[in-house]
């Protein structure tokens, strides 16, 4: 359930943008750009995988290929031995923002995942259960624009989970949240993961997110993306990199790897 | 209201002291008398109904064809490349330039006028819908594939609600154009309607009737815009923004 094998994955695309300024490293129009080069990764079922990397390195492209929104140039992604090539409700993508349909209420958005459930009573119960789980009871009839950023992310999480997917694919799910909401959401996602045990792929810019949440941390290099580090983290939750010496060491190593010599 | 009564007073004063006779430049009093006269003998109602009928028919036709076609064009790049050049060639041709051809094709009567109104609203609606569909955030289509939406669900749950605001705005703008065009069309092709009333009164040198026609056109234009503004409530209902404006 949710075991992921990425084999020799390559992604190239032809640059379409017209050249505005030439600073030497921006690709020219018509030029082929390699975003992912010969990527090999394996994630165990039920793992929370945190993917870090410099911006523009192709993290989101990797997620989009795994979700089936984008096709690789060569190579393949296997889920439990079957090739993944098109989007399916088994693997739900959670967006940075705007993932909820703005013309639907929280209830209607959550309902999308189980809209084919025949028994209306059962359907209603399940929707309510997941809305309560993300602590949005009382907000069922609110539209996304009436919710705070954190509540929108939680509603989207409920929509993703209600379908009972095998895997969640989260593209910087905490970006744009204020500090406290970020902390709380992180804790909620960790608890949700411990409770439900789903495979989660999560792209983040925040090293502490990866160290606190991840069962595995993957660091990609700059374009074309290759695996710089693939480390399993076997530390119990809750974690604090400030007090655990091994985490602290790893943290400094990652900072150095990403080109920052002084970890803050 | 203040602006309205102010302009009425200025109109009356100009009519009184300009030295023009009532036949050439009737004041609001004279026009009011003629208005009541035309309402009483039923002429005004007859002409207004004729104009409104043509606008409604042409406008509905434009909606029924323009909006679905715009949806298809917005979604299908190949179709867009094929048809867009034709649309953008035809679009700047004033509906009035079609008058000779439409009379030749549809004869005298309601049909040529309806055709002209259709032309005047069809292109704005088509182009607005196409743009609205193209500017839907691609994330929503991704959500649709992620949750296994059928084509029909993608249409009803994504495309329709996402484009309602833009389409409502386009409807509001194009009904105004349609109302402008009906009056012009009626001056040529038909024997009834407010445009015909104005033309016929000019021929009879009844400037008071001409002005009655103009006043009624303005009033009905206001009414149409009011009706269209009610459509905005549909938009608010769909997006849950009711009361937040």
């Amino acid at each position: 359930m949710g075991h992921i094998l990425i084999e020799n994955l390559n992604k190239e695309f032809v640059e379409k943008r017209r050249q505005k300024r030439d600073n030497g490293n921006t690709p020219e129009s018509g030029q082929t750009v390699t975003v992912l080069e010969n990527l090999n990764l394996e994630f165990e079922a039920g793992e929370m995988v945190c993917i870090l990397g410099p911006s523009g390195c192709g993290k989101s492209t990797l997620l989009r290929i795994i979700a089936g929104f984008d096709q690789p140039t060569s190579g393949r992604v296997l889920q439990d031995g079957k090739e993944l090539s098109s989007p399916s409700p088994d693997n739900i993508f959670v967006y940075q923002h705007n993932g909820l349909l703005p013309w639907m209420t929280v209830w209607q958005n959550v309902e999308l995942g189980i809209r084919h459930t025949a028994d209306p009573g059962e359907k209603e119960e399940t929707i309510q259960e997941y809305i309560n789980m993300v602590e949005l009871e009382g907000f069922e009839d609110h539209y996304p624009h009436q919710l705070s950023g954190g509540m929108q992310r939680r509603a989207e999480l409920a929509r993703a989970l209600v379908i009972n997917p095998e895997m969640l694919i989260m593209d910087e799910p905490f970006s744009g949240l204020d500090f406290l909401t970020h902390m709380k959401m992180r804790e909620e996602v960790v608890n949700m993961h411990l409770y439900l045990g789903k495979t989660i792929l999560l792209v983040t810019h925040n090293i502490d997110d990866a160290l606190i949440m991840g069962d595995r941390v993957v660091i990609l290099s700059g374009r074309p993306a290759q695996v710089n580090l693939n480390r399993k983290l076997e530390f119990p939750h809750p974690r604090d990199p400030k007090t655990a010496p091994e985490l602290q060491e790893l943290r400094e190593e990652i900072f150095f790897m990403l080109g920052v010599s002084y970890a803050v | 209201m203040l602006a309205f009564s102010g302009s009425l007073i200025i109109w009356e004063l100009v009519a009184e002291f300009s030295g023009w006779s009532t036949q050439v430049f009737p004041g609001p009093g004279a026009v009011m008398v003629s208005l009541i006269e035309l309402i009483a003998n039923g002429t005004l109602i007859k002409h207004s109904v004729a104009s409104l009928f043509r606008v409604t028919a042409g406008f509905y036709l434009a909606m029924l064809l323009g909006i679905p076609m715009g949806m298809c064009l917005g979604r299908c790049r190949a179709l867009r490349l094929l048809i867009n050049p034709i649309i953008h060639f035809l679009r700047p041709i004033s509906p009035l330039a079609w008058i000779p051809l439409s009379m030749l094709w549809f004869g005298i009567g309601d049909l040529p006028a309806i055709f002209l109104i259709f032309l005047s609203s069809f292109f704005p609606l088509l182009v607005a819908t196409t743009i609205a569909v193209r500017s839907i955030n691609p994330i929503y289509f991704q959500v649709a594939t992620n949750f296994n939406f059928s084509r029909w669900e993608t249409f009803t749950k994504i495309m329709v609600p996402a484009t309602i605001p833009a389409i409502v705005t386009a409807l509001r703008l194009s009904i105004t154009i349609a109302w402008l065009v009906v009056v012009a069309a009626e001056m040529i092709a038909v024997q009834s309607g407010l445009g015909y009333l104005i033309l016929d009164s000019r021929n009879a040198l009844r400037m008071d009737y001409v002005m009655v026609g103009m006043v009624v056109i303005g009033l009905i234009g206001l009414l149409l815009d009011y009706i269209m503004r009610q459509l905005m409530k549909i938009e608010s209902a769909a997006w849950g923004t009711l009361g937040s404006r």
Side-chain angles (χ1 to χ4, degrees):
Chain A
M1 285 242 313
H3 172 270
I4 297 289
L5 186 64
I6 296 168
E7 285 184 335
N8 303 322
L9 203 68
N10 285 286
K11 177 67 182 175
E12 295 168 355
F13 68 89
V14 179
E15 182 67 40
K16 276 191 198 135
R17 212 169 353 137
R18 201 163 294 155
Q19 196 61 26
K20 285 253 170 70
R21 54 203 156 129
D22 199 2
N23 56 9
N25 57 21
T26 31
E28 283 192 26
S29 182
Q31 198 178 322
T32 309
V33 184
T34 309
V35 188
L36 306 174
E37 191 173 346
N38 206 23
L39 218 57
N40 285 286
L41 280 166
E42 188 175 358
F43 309 138
E44 288 162 34
E47 251 182 357
M48 161 106 68
V49 183
C50 293
I51 303 170
L52 284 163
S55 48
C57 78
K59 301 182 296 281
S60 294
T61 310
L62 176 63
L63 284 197
R64 291 169 47 81
I65 290 173
I66 296 172
F69 294 145
D70 216 339
Q71 297 302 320
T73 311
S74 67
R76 55 186 190 160
V77 180
L78 298 172
Q79 181 176 37
D80 299 325
K82 277 178 300 185
E83 188 161 344
L84 267 181
S85 56
S86 59
S88 104
D90 288 338
N91 308 306
I92 297 293
F93 203 94
V94 178
Y95 295 87
Q96 270 179 41
H97 44 81
N98 288 335
L100 296 168
L101 300 182
W103 45 84
M104 290 185 180
T105 59
V106 169
W107 182 275
Q108 289 168 327
N109 264 293
V110 175
E111 191 181 5
L112 286 180
I114 52 164
R115 63 195 187 286
H116 297 307
T117 306
D119 178 4
E122 182 196 325
K123 185 156 109 183
E124 203 168 302
E125 223 169 83
T126 317
I127 296 171
Q128 193 64 59
E129 181 192 329
Y130 279 87
I131 288 179
N132 293 353
M133 192 178 98
V134 296
E135 291 169 27
L136 281 176
E137 57 265 68
F139 292 96
E140 290 87 352
D141 295 330
H142 282 58
Y143 284 87
H145 70 92
Q146 297 167 316
L147 303 177
S148 71
M151 289 159 96
Q152 291 180 12
R153 311 287 163 103
R154 295 215 300 274
E156 201 182 332
L157 212 52
R159 185 181 72 179
L161 292 172
V162 77
I163 204 167
N164 194 18
E166 300 202 352
M167 177 166 67
L168 288 184
I169 303 169
M170 307 174 93
D171 189 7
E172 296 183 36
F174 311 131
S175 72
L177 296 178
D178 66 83
F179 184 73
L180 272 180
T181 317
H182 181 152
M183 296 293 131
K184 277 190 202 153
M185 274 295 287
R186 186 163 75 188
E187 202 182 322
E188 279 169 33
V189 172
V190 168
N191 289 337
M192 184 262 303
H193 179 244
L194 292 175
Y195 178 63
L196 296 171
K198 298 202 180 299
T199 308
I200 299 182
L201 306 188
L202 189 148
V203 157
T204 175
H205 278 300
N206 189 316
I207 293 172
D208 288 337
D209 278 355
L211 291 175
I212 288 172
M213 301 172 76
D215 297 322
R216 181 184 294 280
V217 176
V218 173
I219 302 194
L220 298 178
S221 65
R223 208 177 255 193
Q226 288 168 310
V227 181
N228 265 3
L229 178 98
N230 179 0
R231 178 91 46 99
K232 199 162 167 62
L233 302 183
E234 284 169 295
F235 300 97
H237 292 280
R239 296 174 185 163
D240 184 358
K242 289 196 180 68
T243 53
E246 298 102 318
L247 276 177
Q248 187 62 36
E249 232 168 78
L250 183 60
R251 185 169 182 263
E252 268 158 36
E253 192 185 329
I254 293 173
F255 265 109
F256 189 72
M257 202 173 274
L258 292 172
V260 187
S261 16
Y262 304 101
V264 246
Chain B
M1 267 295 124
L2 195 72
F4 247 111
S5 36
S7 35
L8 275 180
I9 290 168
I10 292 171
W11 179 10
E12 180 67 64
L13 287 175
V14 172
E16 194 67 31
F17 298 107
S18 62
W20 283 324
S21 71
T22 338
Q23 274 77 33
V24 181
F25 190 62
V31 170
M32 188 56 94
V33 172
S34 311
L35 177 72
I36 292 163
E37 183 192 325
L38 286 180
I39 291 174
N41 68 20
T43 326
L44 200 56
I45 305 291
K46 190 186 83 186
H47 289 310
S48 304
V49 168
S51 294
L52 277 173
F53 164 71
R54 288 175 194 128
V55 166
T56 315
F59 194 67
Y60 269 104
L61 215 59
M63 263 167 69
L64 286 177
L65 278 169
I67 295 174
M69 254 184 87
M71 294 265 180
C72 297
L73 281 183
R75 273 306 266 164
C76 180
R77 202 178 116 84
L79 207 62
R80 206 157 56 230
L81 289 175
L82 188 73
I83 296 181
N84 248 358
I86 309 172
I87 291 167
H88 289 292
F89 166 72
L90 290 176
R91 208 162 59 98
I93 302 176
S94 161
L96 302 182
W98 287 87
I99 287 176
L101 280 178
S102 65
M103 283 177 74
L104 196 66
W105 293 343
F106 301 107
I108 303 282
D110 283 338
L111 275 181
I114 290 172
F115 176 67
L116 293 180
I117 289 151
F118 164 76
L119 281 178
S120 74
S121 323
F122 174 71
F123 289 112
L125 284 176
L126 177 70
V127 172
T129 311
T130 310
I131 294 172
V133 171
R134 288 191 65 187
S135 49
I136 297 176
N137 189 339
I139 284 181
Y140 304 142
F141 288 114
Q142 281 182 13
V143 170
T145 54
N146 209 173
F147 285 85
N148 239 344
F149 278 24
S150 64
R151 274 169 178 271
W152 177 245
E153 280 177 315
T154 307
F155 178 72
T156 55
K157 290 188 175 146
I158 309 280
M159 288 170 69
V160 170
T163 51
I164 277 179
I167 290 176
V168 165
T169 308
L171 286 174
R172 223 183 129 183
L173 292 175
S174 53
I175 190 86
T176 314
I177 305 172
W179 188 239
L180 286 174
V181 168
V182 71
V183 173
E186 282 167 350
M187 290 191 168
I188 295 127
V190 288
Q191 303 290 313
S192 65
L194 292 167
Y196 172 76
L197 172 71
I198 290 179
L199 189 81
D200 194 45
S201 310
R202 185 205 67 176
N203 291 341
L205 289 176
R206 288 296 301 261
M207 289 311 133
D208 51 340
Y209 287 179
V210 170
M211 284 195 162
V212 168
M214 289 166 69
V215 167
V216 172
I217 286 167
L219 288 176
I220 294 181
L222 274 182
L223 182 76
L224 287 176
D225 194 56
Y226 174 77
I227 294 170
M228 283 295 149
R229 252 183 304 171
Q230 303 307 305
L231 275 180
M232 302 287 231
K233 287 188 183 153
I234 300 176
E235 176 196 341
S236 311
W239 283 62
T241 46
L242 202 66
S244 68
R245 299 197 167 165

